[in-house]
Amino acid sequence: PALAQKKDFGTASALRTFWFLLNVTTPPLDRLPVRYALNLATDKKAIARFLAGGQLPASGIVPPMRGYPQLRELRVPVNGLEIDVLAFDPRAAREILRAEGVSGLRLSMSFPALPNIKDIAVILKEQWREYAGVRLNLSEQGPAEWGQDMIEKRYQHLTQDSWTARCADPVDYLSLFGPPEHYSTWIDPAFDREFADANAILNPTQRMKALAACEAQLMKAMPVIPIYHDVWT
């Protein structure tokens, strides 16, 4: 905030998204409604305001880029109600957990010892406690240990991660969750097929729309909770 007052201060899109990976093989995160509840209990605008560098709250994993239809809402049926599962809605989060019979939930989260990341983890811990009654145990690791645990999928519940694009194209993000990467604990052959088909479309406009549909399919499964799209400052 202090630097932002300077005349030569500026920001530019970093094509980088900050998120938390969920281990969808570990109960109760193997239940989709529980994953929805955690996302609904996350106030991403508050985290962006805290960082105060022009970061954008994220609904999906792909940051804004030319020609790509940004994912802003995703309405799906949950326990008989149609809910925008990308929104910040603490009441819906609590109702989902209650309907799932989940109370006193305790989760563990690992994150690397790098600037800003512990602050965000603490904010998330307080948000989930206040908005969903979820207790989050934080585990700070050396960057090498954290990275190896993430690659080998050894985190019990969730871990922090981010991705900076190597090129301004959504495929650079979506390929993480499809073949050959599959770096998440979530694997869906239907997503793999649709992603491959979308990426093979030659018409640029149609290709972008098809890739956006793949991102919506990914977020409908919610193996990841996106937090913000980053900026260079």
Side-chain angles (χ1 to χ4, degrees):
L3 289 174
Q5 307 306 313
K6 303 294 183 180
K7 292 181 179 180
D8 58 350
F9 179 86
T11 64
S13 170
L15 288 179
R16 175 177 181 260
T17 303
F18 183 107
W19 58 56
F20 290 98
L21 282 174
L22 301 174
N23 189 334
V24 301
T25 68
T26 304
L29 300 183
D30 57 342
R31 292 150 63 182
L32 182 56
V34 174
R35 303 201 294 271
Y36 285 157
L38 295 177
N39 193 61
L40 289 162
T42 305
D43 187 350
K44 301 165 187 182
K45 288 183 179 179
I47 294 174
R49 285 195 302 269
F50 166 78
L51 294 170
Q55 291 82 0
L56 299 174
S59 297
I61 64 169
V62 180
M65 58 180 64
R66 183 178 299 178
Y68 186 75
Q70 203 69 28
L71 182 62
R72 302 197 181 279
E73 69 172 16
L74 185 61
R75 306 193 74 84
V76 299
V78 185
N79 296 326
L81 298 174
E82 190 176 83
I83 297 175
D84 176 11
V85 294
L86 303 184
F88 170 54
D89 190 340
R91 179 178 179 180
R94 292 190 294 269
E95 289 177 352
I96 289 173
L97 291 177
R98 186 161 49 247
E100 289 293 313
V102 175
S103 63
L105 181 58
R106 293 180 178 271
L107 300 174
S108 62
M109 182 177 74
S110 59
F111 60 93
L114 295 171
N116 279 341
I117 293 179
K118 184 174 183 178
D119 293 333
I120 297 169
V122 170
I123 292 172
L124 188 70
K125 176 179 179 177
E126 291 305 309
Q127 288 183 355
W128 285 6
R129 179 191 60 79
E130 178 180 354
Y131 300 134
V134 174
R135 302 290 177 174
L136 193 57
N137 180 51
L138 303 181
S139 175
E140 189 173 32
Q141 298 177 298
E145 179 188 7
W146 158 81
Q148 198 63 34
D149 281 356
M150 185 186 66
I151 291 170
E152 297 181 9
K153 304 175 184 178
R154 291 198 300 245
Y155 50 96
Q156 182 181 7
H157 295 122
L158 63 153
T159 190
Q160 184 274 328
D161 193 27
S162 64
W163 186 255
T164 303
R166 295 163 291 191
C167 58
D169 192 281
V171 75
D172 209 39
Y173 295 88
L174 296 172
S175 63
L176 295 170
F177 297 89
E181 302 289 349
H182 283 141
Y183 100 130
S184 155
T185 56
W186 173 80
I187 297 176
D188 183 354
F191 172 84
D192 295 350
R193 289 191 300 269
E194 291 186 25
F195 171 62
D197 291 344
N199 196 34
I201 295 173
L202 297 180
N203 180 282
T205 302
Q206 294 177 5
R207 175 178 175 272
M208 286 294 199
K209 288 181 179 179
L211 288 172
C214 290
E215 184 184 15
Q217 183 179 348
L218 170 71
M219 293 311 302
K220 191 173 182 179
M222 201 156 287
V224 57
I225 295 180
I227 303 296
Y228 65 84
H229 303 304
D230 211 354
V231 292
W232 302 119
T233 56

